[in-house]
Amino acid sequence: MDIKKIREIVEKEPEEAVEEVLEGVRERYGEIPYILNFMKDMPDLLIPKVMYDNSIMREFERLDPKTIELICIGVSSAIRCDHCMKMHIRVAHRLGLTKEEIFDAVLIGGAMSNASVLAEGTRALDLEFNGTKPECDESCDVCNIANSGNGSAKGNED
């Protein structure tokens, strides 16, 4: 959302601004998410939230809407947000994504969630039973991939 559009919205009366912002969300998603509907009487919170979300998820120019929805589904799966997942699945379906494509996003989210649990759990076990945090060195292929852009390997990165 460009600055001019933001100014236009901010200069409106709160009720009118809320109505316009929510209508934009409805146009994009085909519905208004529960959270935003809940916040409709709180324009000081709703409007900045929707503007921020718009900047990332609805007006993002480097990723297409289908990819954004698949990411939302994967993350919703990973963090176990049932309400978000169901809404983003509906939106993805409206955008023409197949059941299989959506399921792949769920699988990826599940794999990331599993990796997160294992990363924390195995480190806690090492700390408890070995008394030390596991450290990576310069030869760690995983850390070297994760840090390939900065030229240094930092231990304990996933």
Side-chain angles (χ1 to χ4, degrees), residues 79-149:
I79 64 172
R80 297 180 179 192
C81 183
D82 186 51
H83 306 292
C84 294
M85 187 174 12
K86 287 177 180 176
M87 194 211 68
H88 286 287
I89 287 171
R90 288 191 304 270
V91 173
H93 190 220
R94 283 187 205 115
L95 289 173
L97 287 157
T98 66
K99 181 179 178 180
E100 293 77 17
E101 290 170 317
I102 295 168
F103 183 59
D104 287 348
V106 171
L107 288 173
I108 292 167
M112 294 306 299
S113 179
N114 177 270
S116 173
V117 167
L118 292 174
E120 288 300 313
T122 55
R123 282 174 172 78
L125 282 169
D126 269 344
L127 183 60
E128 179 63 29
F129 285 91
N130 299 328
T132 59
K133 283 177 88 173
E135 294 293 330
C136 294
D137 60 27
E138 296 293 325
S139 66
C140 178
D141 291 336
V142 174
C143 290
N144 286 329
I145 290 170
N147 297 301
S148 63

Side-chain angles (χ1 to χ4, degrees), residues 31-95:
E31 63 187 272
I32 296 174
Y34 172 83
I35 296 167
L36 301 183
N37 198 43
F38 183 89
M39 295 173 67
K40 69 182 175 189
D41 295 327
M42 302 173 224
D44 291 346
L45 296 174
L46 174 72
I47 293 169
K49 178 188 179 4
V50 172
M51 287 181 179
Y52 176 76
D53 290 352
N54 278 346
S55 297
I56 295 170
M57 296 185 347
R58 288 177 278 289
E59 295 181 23
F60 198 67
E61 295 180 4
R62 292 181 297 271
L63 297 174
D64 64 277
K66 289 180 178 181
T67 302
I68 291 170
E69 287 309 314
L70 290 172
I71 291 169
C72 291
I73 291 165
V75 170
S76 297
S77 297
I79 64 172
R80 297 180 179 192
C81 183
D82 186 51
H83 306 292
C84 294
M85 187 174 12
K86 287 177 180 176
M87 194 211 68
H88 286 287
I89 287 171
R90 288 191 304 270
V91 173
H93 190 220
R94 283 187 205 115
L95 289 173

